[in-house]
Amino acid sequence: MPNFANNPDRASWLHVGSDSDFPIQNIPFGVFLTRDDVITIGTRIGDTAIDLGALHQLGYFDGIPLTDDIFLQDTLNDFIADGRQTWRAVRNRIAEIFDENNDALKSNPKHKDVVLFRLDEIEMQLPVQVGDYTDFYASREHATNVGTMFRGKDNALMPNWLHLPVGYHGRSSSIITTDIPVHRPQGQTLPAGANSPVFGPSKAVDFELEMAFITTDANDLGDSIAVDDAEEYIFGLVLFNDWSARDIQKWEYVPLGPFLGKNFASSISPWIVTLDALEPFRVPSPVQDPEPLDYLKSTGNKSFDINLEVAIRPHKSSESVVTQSNFKFMYWNMAQQLAHHTVNGCPVNAGDMMGSGTISGPTPDSYGSMLELAWKGEKPVQLKDGSSRKYIEDMDTVILRGYCKNGSVRIGFGDVKTQLLPCK
Ligand code: MN
């Protein structure tokens, strides 16, 4: 099926600001609560939220094989399980309905009244029920920085790192969306120079600038996904802040990896931008040397040029952007991650989420965590209000943003904002 929703020449009869992340070429999917307290699946053009459940009931998706209640759900899981043909048909139809030359909905005030919402009339929800969540460690710059800090420059990358996308299984129960505050976690840490651990609030709460992709049903137990087929199973991407308590993490991680330092909260942006919408922004991945094993060799442009930034907004103050990075810096791309994840026969299901790992760029102003930006506290980051940060302080709000841009189109993710509250 052609993907004509991406036509860069199309304009919408809905207002779209010139710097909007959500032109008619984006058509992301999300879940929101309406002013009438109804949960529905929706999309967004400019600053207008669109109730897809209402559109479907009014017959605007006639001719596309969809169950009657596909959009009247509190998660996107069933829609995602329908597969790429359906996602594409629905995005194409939405592009038609909101094309400036199409009067059907545009000139029907009764229909518009039940379909369209201002953003202040809705409340975004977590878009998927995440079944399983995996986090990778796929930025060479990040792995090198962290390795240098903890093991020295000569042993920065572990021997496996250039041969496989390192990852661990995370916890889905604490995945939240934007505007949900997080309490500073407490736990066990080993203070510098001490011989025995202490218990108390973490003193090193950090963000991790990541993206995550959401999958559809991909393989049965025992089957693998070939690297060249892997993108078929990727529905779309979100911004992802993988909250981390560095002091808890440092003490607990040997030998099985991250645990309580990571699973107290993970924040994702509420609109899932489809892989289809990101097509125009493909770029080559970094050259891989040594060459990976055959099952990880990917061809074609499998990385995406997505500008990323993180801002910190102290309580009752204005924000400071503390880093700017790009998704294209990832050493291991999403197709390689999915091929590796399933090479042993591990099933991947609709609604699973795979985090990229912290996305650090090559320069110190592009590092993806406070651990790196402030170099484990040695170089505090200066904020515009005159204060400085080694890690995130109580009442700070951390904001992740991301967008792609070429000559004519900007496709963005909006943001994911999380305030850190004091320890409970
Ligand atoms: Mn992470």
Side-chain angles (χ1 to χ4, degrees):
M1 175 175 298
N3 177 14
F4 62 79
N6 285 6
N7 176 3
D9 299 325
R10 189 193 307 278
S12 174
W13 50 265
L14 286 169
H15 173 74
V16 179
S18 59
D19 60 348
S20 173
D21 281 349
F22 302 98
I24 194 169
Q25 289 78 13
N26 189 338
I27 313 182
F29 293 95
V31 175
F32 58 80
L33 189 66
T34 71
R35 59 190 170 222
D36 311 312
D37 257 358
V38 175
I39 283 200
T40 184
I41 285 172
T43 187
R44 171 175 175 176
I45 295 176
D47 287 340
T48 304
I50 297 159
D51 181 340
L52 297 181
L55 266 184
H56 190 21
Q57 280 181 323
L58 293 168
Y60 284 89
F61 292 114
D62 283 359
I64 301 175
L66 295 167
T67 55
D68 289 345
D69 63 348
I70 191 70
F71 297 124
L72 301 173
Q73 314 223 7
D74 54 10
T75 71
L76 278 157
N77 293 54
D78 286 353
F79 177 65
I80 292 171
D82 279 348
R84 182 170 302 277
Q85 292 293 333
T86 301
W87 316 331
R88 204 167 266 189
V90 167
R91 275 185 80 247
N92 284 346
R93 182 66 58 85
I94 293 167
E96 273 176 5
I97 297 167
F98 292 93
D99 187 302
E100 63 179 347
N101 298 314
N102 187 341
D103 280 332
L105 179 62
K106 182 183 176 182
S107 57
N108 190 326
K110 266 194 187 145
H111 284 188
K112 282 202 287 191
D113 196 44
V114 295
V115 166
L116 306 181
F117 294 85
R118 293 194 316 269
L119 295 182
D120 62 8
E121 296 175 312
I122 64 165
E123 187 182 296
M124 295 307 297
Q125 309 289 304
L126 192 65
V128 279
Q129 171 81 41
V130 177
D132 278 309
Y133 149 52
T134 299
D135 197 26
F136 286 94
Y137 187 56
S139 153
R140 183 172 187 161
E141 287 80 4
H142 172 69
T144 303
N145 286 337
V146 174
T148 302
M149 274 182 244
F150 294 110
R151 286 183 299 275
K153 214 173 176 183
D154 296 335
N155 302 303
L157 285 185
M158 297 299 273
N160 60 3
W161 201 92
L162 292 170
H163 298 280
L164 56 85
V166 169
Y168 74 96
H169 287 126
R171 180 129 184 116
S172 54
S173 64
S174 51
I175 295 175
I176 52 179
T177 191
T178 189
D179 297 315
I180 309 280
V182 169
H183 286 274
R184 178 179 296 274
Q186 53 185 348
Q188 219 184 96
T189 60
L190 185 70
N195 292 319
S196 50
V198 298
F199 180 83
S202 167
K203 294 187 172 80
V205 175
D206 200 354
F207 62 80
E208 287 189 337
L209 170 58
E210 302 194 25
M211 300 210 67
F213 63 90
I214 311 289
T215 59
T216 186
D217 290 316
N219 59 322
D220 294 326
L221 183 72
D223 290 343
S224 308
I225 301 170
V227 66
D228 285 332
D229 299 337
E231 287 186 345
E232 274 306 301
Y233 303 103
I234 298 175
F235 173 64
L237 279 77
V238 290
L239 301 168
F240 177 39
N241 181 354
D242 184 21
W243 288 95
S244 301
R246 299 299 179 194
D247 44 359
I248 296 173
Q249 180 184 356
K250 193 179 175 193
W251 170 233
E252 74 177 358
Y253 86 102
V254 182
L256 287 186
F259 191 27
L260 304 185
K262 293 282 190 174
N263 68 10
F264 59 97
S266 311
S267 308
I268 64 171
S269 53
W271 295 107
I272 304 178
V273 176
T274 62
L275 202 62
D276 270 353
L278 296 171
E279 271 306 314
F281 305 98
R282 285 181 181 275
V283 288
S285 301
V287 174
Q288 293 184 312
D289 182 18
E291 245 184 84
L293 293 173
D294 281 346
Y295 81 97
L296 287 172
K297 273 189 189 130
S298 73
T299 52
N301 290 348
K302 293 218 163 51
S303 291
F304 293 84
D305 184 2
I306 305 173
N307 301 291
L308 300 168
E309 71 174 32
V310 182
I312 296 175
R313 188 170 67 215
H315 193 44
K316 292 181 177 166
S317 185
S318 56
E319 67 168 58
S320 301
V321 172
V322 294
T323 186
Q324 291 182 305
S325 186
N326 194 301
F327 189 52
K328 72 183 175 187
F329 295 139
M330 305 299 300
Y331 187 84
W332 296 101
N333 61 49
M334 295 182 284
Q336 291 174 315
Q337 290 173 342
L338 203 45
H340 184 67
H341 203 307
T342 59
V343 75
N344 64 346
C346 171
V348 166
N349 298 309
D352 285 1
M353 186 179 110
M354 315 279 171
S356 58
T358 305
I359 305 163
S360 292
T363 55
D365 57 356
S366 62
Y367 293 167
S369 64
M370 291 301 288
L371 176 67
E372 296 162 272
L373 289 164
W375 207 258
K376 58 179 175 175
E378 291 169 11
K379 300 175 190 167
V381 173
Q382 298 301 316
L383 303 185
K384 279 185 192 158
D385 70 352
S387 64
S388 65
R389 293 288 181 283
K390 294 178 178 175
Y391 291 102
I392 304 304
E393 294 187 359
D394 288 348
M395 308 308 285
D396 283 353
T397 298
V398 176
I399 307 156
L400 272 59
R401 302 190 182 93
Y403 70 93
C404 314
K405 193 167 185 175
N406 59 22
S408 48
V409 177
R410 173 185 168 120
I411 300 284
F413 291 78
D415 60 24
V416 52
K417 289 195 293 288
T418 317
Q419 188 174 34
L420 181 68
L421 300 178
C423 192
K424 251 189 183 175

